[in-house]
Amino acid sequence: MTSKPHEDLAPPVDPETSSLSGSINFSQPTRKRLFWIFIVNDNISYFNFCSYLVACFGTICLVAYLAIIQPFVLSVILGISESKGNLTGNLALYDELIALPSTLIWGILSDRIGRRPVYSAGFICLGTSLILYPYSKNVYPHMLLCRLLFSVGSAAATCMMTGSLSDVAGGQHERGRVSAIVGMFAGFGGLTAGLGLTTVPFKLVQYSGSQVKGIQLCFTIVGGVAIGFAVLCVFTMHNMESSHVKGVRYWTRRLLTRNKSTLEPRPDLPPIENPLKQLKYGFMAGRDPRVALAYMSSFVSRADTVLFSSYVSLWVVQYYEDLGWCGEYSCGAAAGDTHMLTGMAQGISLAFAPVYGYMCEKMEKSTVLAIAGVIGAVGSFPFAFTTAAPGAKSNYAWVNLVGVGQIGMIVTGMTLVNGLQLDARYRGSVAGVFSFCGALSIMVMAKLGGYLFDVWMRGAPFVLMGIAHSVIAIFSIYVRIITPRLLREDAARFAAKAQAGEMQDVATEHKDELSSMGHKEELSL
């Protein structure tokens, strides 16, 4: 691997107008169009595609559900009324201390055994932790251990949600619409958690007899569904098949066989790569400003998801506790406002996902991220300083803007991180670093937000969200300004590979992507 991680892939070139086109045979496997809209790889079926979308829905639904419902666990089950902001931040901090290395390990592992087993393992961890969570007797160590197991599972699921996109999507120029449908299902997952599942524990009281048992029953049901997602992935999700993926069977046999020379030879597979080399590629890819921008979008979008879900819920619960309306025996009013605020934000994000997908295909992605950053900042700052009651109409306007900005980060970031400038052999590693940045943001922002929630004001976490959106908007404008220079550098690297005799392989592998970018640079051998 060279020192520049994006050298291994071709830059945007139109083969029909390039002087190279006459000497290159752009043969490539046919692409498939599903539902008359999405171009996917030819080995992806309707069943595989729908399974991936369901997995994306489940991933965000489960992550958002725990973030939203946790304040009720602290208040109703454990009876904690003081310093809940700091407790929430501490749990998120320890959660992400595990998630940081987990995302990197899962990403590298998926490049070796495929995405499907990693996704399935992630859902099993999520389901198990959710079933155990409401039976915690204390925060430390019971609830903490459940959160750590949940962290391992969420790291696997969110990492594969990003890493599987390139395995599914076929056309580079239409990857925005695949990202949009993924964003829609992710938004639908958040909507289900915020608008549907939040009030379920309190509706189960008539069957369970108490709020505590209602919450426990709801967690058990959701955890069981998560394990069901794992089974669904095993039987329906396509596992990436390429020259660098050896599969679970190969690695299991390798671990169990003492004499490695007795293994059946596989001449079609390249030598096993050093995991540190794979990890290095993922981090060094960030030297490309476009990849760095994608990593920043992961930082902001994950912080958005967790900060918004956790601290909107905590803010509402604290507001009603101060009024004496939320305690051990009744917290239904807080649940109602929580599900309206979070549900409305997720609902509007669901509606705007296809809008951002279309924009990603028609505009520079850095421009789209700048727009999303500005919208998110405009919603976050006024919401942070609001003095109105949670159910006030002005708050609905602000959370709608936050939701629009949040889905823009998710859709555009996933499209950017699956761009042409990255080596396809290291998609899992890059997805791992992408998720690593998201985990880092949660660790820093959730801990800081929880501390400021207790010592400064209850809107402090949303001030942090506004600052993050503002920073990424500024960096997006910078990347947009230097994009023409980056394209010229890509073209120069492409010409260098052509002179080295590697043009045929690169052009064949990326024919659709190159032709779609419309870059008219004239190259000569």
Side-chain angles (χ1 to χ4, degrees):
M1 183 179 65
T2 58
S3 60
K4 293 185 179 181
H6 50 277
E7 286 183 352
D8 293 329
L9 287 185
V13 174
D14 187 341
E16 296 182 357
T17 59
S18 171
S19 60
L20 294 172
S21 60
S23 60
I24 300 173
N25 178 22
F26 287 97
S27 61
Q28 180 155 334
T30 58
R31 302 299 190 187
K32 182 188 299 182
R33 188 178 291 274
L34 298 184
F35 305 107
W36 301 280
I37 300 174
F38 309 104
I39 290 182
V40 299
N41 288 320
D42 55 356
N43 53 0
I44 300 296
S45 68
Y46 282 95
F47 215 43
N48 300 146
F49 187 65
C50 293
S51 175
Y52 171 56
L53 296 180
V54 170
C56 294
F57 161 83
T59 299
I60 300 303
C61 181
L62 296 172
V63 172
Y65 174 72
L66 183 61
I68 293 171
I69 207 71
Q70 180 172 281
F72 296 96
V73 176
L74 294 174
S75 297
V76 177
I77 294 181
L78 298 183
I80 297 173
S81 58
E82 299 294 333
S83 301
K84 283 187 293 200
N86 198 37
L87 276 177
T88 300
N90 285 337
L91 287 171
L93 172 64
Y94 300 134
D95 183 310
E96 299 311 314
L97 285 175
I98 296 298
L100 286 174
S102 296
T103 53
L104 301 177
I105 294 171
W106 286 126
I108 294 172
L109 190 62
S110 72
D111 279 336
R112 296 189 171 219
I113 66 174
R115 320 288 188 224
R116 181 174 61 199
V118 173
Y119 228 145
S120 300
F123 278 124
I124 290 174
C125 293
L126 289 171
T128 304
S129 63
L130 286 172
I131 292 172
L132 297 175
Y133 204 82
Y135 296 96
S136 302
K137 301 299 182 183
N138 48 54
V139 176
Y140 305 109
H142 293 174
M143 185 175 287
L144 175 61
L145 292 175
C146 292
R147 278 298 294 262
L148 296 183
L149 180 60
F150 187 88
S151 176
V152 173
S154 65
T158 55
C159 183
M160 292 306 96
M161 177 176 162
T162 303
S164 299
L165 178 63
S166 290
D167 302 332
V168 172
Q172 174 75 19
H173 64 297
E174 295 191 1
R175 197 157 287 174
R177 67 187 67 181
V178 178
S179 297
I181 191 66
V182 169
M184 285 184 64
F185 272 77
F188 186 50
L191 179 65
T192 302
L195 203 56
L197 297 178
T198 305
T199 58
V200 169
F202 305 98
K203 294 179 180 178
L204 291 174
V205 171
Q206 56 182 322
Y207 302 103
S208 59
S210 68
Q211 284 193 130
V212 172
K213 291 183 178 179
I215 293 174
Q216 291 172 340
L217 179 59
C218 187
F219 266 90
T220 302
I221 294 171
V222 174
V225 172
I227 295 176
F229 283 137
V231 176
L232 181 71
C233 288
V234 169
F235 291 103
T236 63
M237 182 172 284
H238 173 75
N239 203 35
M240 179 181 63
E241 295 177 0
S242 63
S243 61
H244 59 282
V245 177
K246 302 195 176 188
V248 175
R249 290 182 181 178
Y250 174 87
W251 289 104
T252 302
R253 289 179 60 201
R254 185 177 178 86
L255 290 173
L256 297 178
T257 304
R258 292 184 179 181
N259 185 4
K260 303 301 188 289
S261 62
T262 63
L263 289 175
E264 181 182 351
R266 293 289 303 274
D268 58 308
L269 295 177
I272 300 171
E273 290 210 49
N274 188 333
L276 295 179
K277 181 181 179 182
Q278 295 176 282
L279 183 60
K280 178 182 177 183
Y281 180 93
F283 281 104
M284 297 302 289
R287 294 194 300 177
D288 187 316
R290 293 163 292 188
V291 181
L293 182 60
Y295 288 167
M296 285 187 65
S297 73
S298 175
F299 186 97
V300 176
S301 63
R302 287 293 302 278
D304 268 1
T305 302
V306 174
L307 282 178
F308 184 79
S309 300
S310 298
Y311 289 104
V312 164
S313 178
L314 186 59
W315 170 58
V316 174
V317 169
Q318 197 68 51
Y319 178 86
Y320 282 104
E321 279 189 352
D322 292 344
L323 295 177
W325 294 3
C326 185
E328 182 178 356
Y329 299 104
S330 177
C331 214
D337 278 350
T338 297
H339 103 110
M340 283 300 296
L341 289 170
T342 57
M344 185 167 290
Q346 297 297 339
I348 196 69
S349 68
L350 182 67
F352 270 81
V355 175
Y356 280 109
Y358 180 81
M359 291 170 67
C360 285
E361 292 181 6
K362 300 301 180 182
M363 303 167 61
E364 284 291 341
K365 297 172 184 62
S366 52
T367 303
V368 180
L369 266 180
I371 295 172
V374 170
I375 293 174
V378 170
S380 298
F381 284 120
F383 186 60
F385 294 98
T386 184
T387 57
K393 293 182 179 179
S394 59
N395 290 331
Y396 294 145
W398 305 135
V399 298
N400 279 338
L401 290 175
V402 171
V404 173
Q406 176 182 322
I407 196 64
M409 295 290 165
I410 294 172
V411 172
T412 313
M414 290 183 65
T415 308
L416 262 176
V417 82
N418 286 283
L420 181 61
Q421 67 272 13
L422 296 171
D423 191 330
R425 295 173 299 171
Y426 300 100
R427 285 173 183 163
S429 302
V430 172
V433 177
F434 183 81
S435 297
F436 174 89
C437 293
L440 183 64
S441 75
I442 296 173
M443 185 178 72
V444 175
M445 303 284 273
K447 173 60 179 174
L448 183 59
Y451 173 76
L452 294 176
F453 182 94
D454 285 335
V455 303
W456 179 27
M457 67 173 187
R458 290 167 188 170
F462 311 113
V463 174
L464 298 179
M465 286 173 54
I467 293 172
H469 276 276
S470 302
V471 171
I472 200 170
I474 295 170
F475 187 67
S476 297
I477 294 171
Y478 164 75
V479 173
R480 179 63 187 90
I481 292 172
I482 66 172
T483 293
R485 174 176 63 80
L486 296 174
L487 292 177
R488 289 193 297 269
E489 291 176 356
D490 285 344
R493 281 190 295 274
F494 191 62
K497 294 185 74 68
Q499 291 176 348
E502 302 173 9
M503 171 63 86
Q504 183 66 51
D505 293 339
V506 174
T508 299
E509 183 180 356
H510 300 287
K511 182 245 186 181
D512 282 354
E513 289 87 341
L514 300 179
S515 61
S516 69
M517 300 292 287
H519 187 59
K520 308 297 183 181
E521 294 284 345
E522 287 292 324
L523 305 176
S524 59
L525 291 174

